[in-house]
Amino acid sequence: MTSRADFTDEEWARLGRAPLVAGMAISLADPGGPIETAKESGATLKTLLEAAQERTFGPFVAEIAQDVAAKAQRRENPLAGFRPDRHRALEEVLDELRAVHRLLRHKAEPEELGDFREFLRVASQRAALAAREGGFLGFGGEQVSTREQDMLETIGEIFGVPRSDPPAA
């Protein structure tokens, strides 16, 4: 089993912030206001805390999530060390996720990579579902926008999930 001891401090921090970075990708894909961003970030963080407590995604992901949860309790920023340039934020966010995937392919067991992929999928999907996009004063809009759905597909592709075919017309 892969554990904390198999990674440098920088690599481990990168794994811990990955679900938050994936949530950031969803927010950047279809930017809303501060309320939407807070809801999306909160959904991602909730998924991370659940993974730490319930071990839903296996022991490797739980160990990562428990470390991030401990940082959050100490009021340490789990995104420390990652600050994308605002002009290239989405590109840098996706590059960070690609680096996480390469790291996991290199150091983690295939089952652990699958668990981590599922963890990111759930965190990203919950971020996308957390706030309605579009509409006016909370009325109307859509639960998951086309741009958010495209980003969910992109994150999946980064972690080795082929893009789903669009429904036949």
Side-chain angles (χ1 to χ4, degrees):
M1 181 180 117
T2 310
S3 71
R4 167 70 182 93
D6 297 306
F7 298 90
T8 67
D9 290 343
E10 181 181 325
E11 290 170 338
W12 192 252
R14 178 171 260 170
L15 294 175
R17 70 179 171 243
L20 301 170
V21 171
M24 190 184 300
I26 298 299
S27 294
L28 289 169
D30 196 353
I35 293 172
E36 288 87 356
T37 301
K39 286 180 178 180
E40 291 165 349
S41 298
T44 305
L45 187 56
K46 182 179 178 186
T47 304
L48 202 144
L49 296 174
E50 286 175 4
Q53 294 170 349
E54 299 171 15
R55 304 175 67 87
T56 312
F57 304 99
F60 175 64
V61 171
E63 185 178 6
I64 294 166
Q66 287 165 354
D67 186 58
V68 176
K71 284 181 182 179
Q73 282 186 326
R74 294 188 304 266
R75 300 203 187 280
E76 294 176 22
N77 181 0
L79 285 170
F82 181 71
R83 190 175 193 97
D85 177 272
R86 67 183 182 103
H87 299 290
R88 299 183 52 240
L90 186 55
E91 182 181 330
E92 290 182 17
V93 161
L94 294 176
D95 286 346
E96 178 72 6
L97 293 173
R98 287 181 189 100
V100 167
H101 184 245
R102 282 191 304 272
L103 176 62
L104 289 169
R105 275 194 355 244
H106 179 69
K107 291 193 171 187
E109 298 295 324
E111 181 179 326
E112 295 163 337
L113 174 58
D115 290 345
F116 198 88
R117 178 187 303 122
E118 180 65 9
F119 173 49
L120 283 188
R121 185 193 67 77
V122 170
S124 301
Q125 193 165 43
R126 286 182 178 175
L129 290 168
R132 295 185 76 76
E133 302 301 324
F136 180 70
L137 296 175
F139 297 99
E142 54 191 339
Q143 191 65 47
V144 177
S145 73
T146 302
R147 291 185 293 201
E148 287 175 327
Q149 185 59 47
D150 287 345
M151 184 55 64
L152 288 168
E153 297 273 345
T154 298
I155 293 168
E157 284 179 332
I158 288 171
F159 283 85
V161 178
R163 191 170 279 270
S164 62
D165 292 328

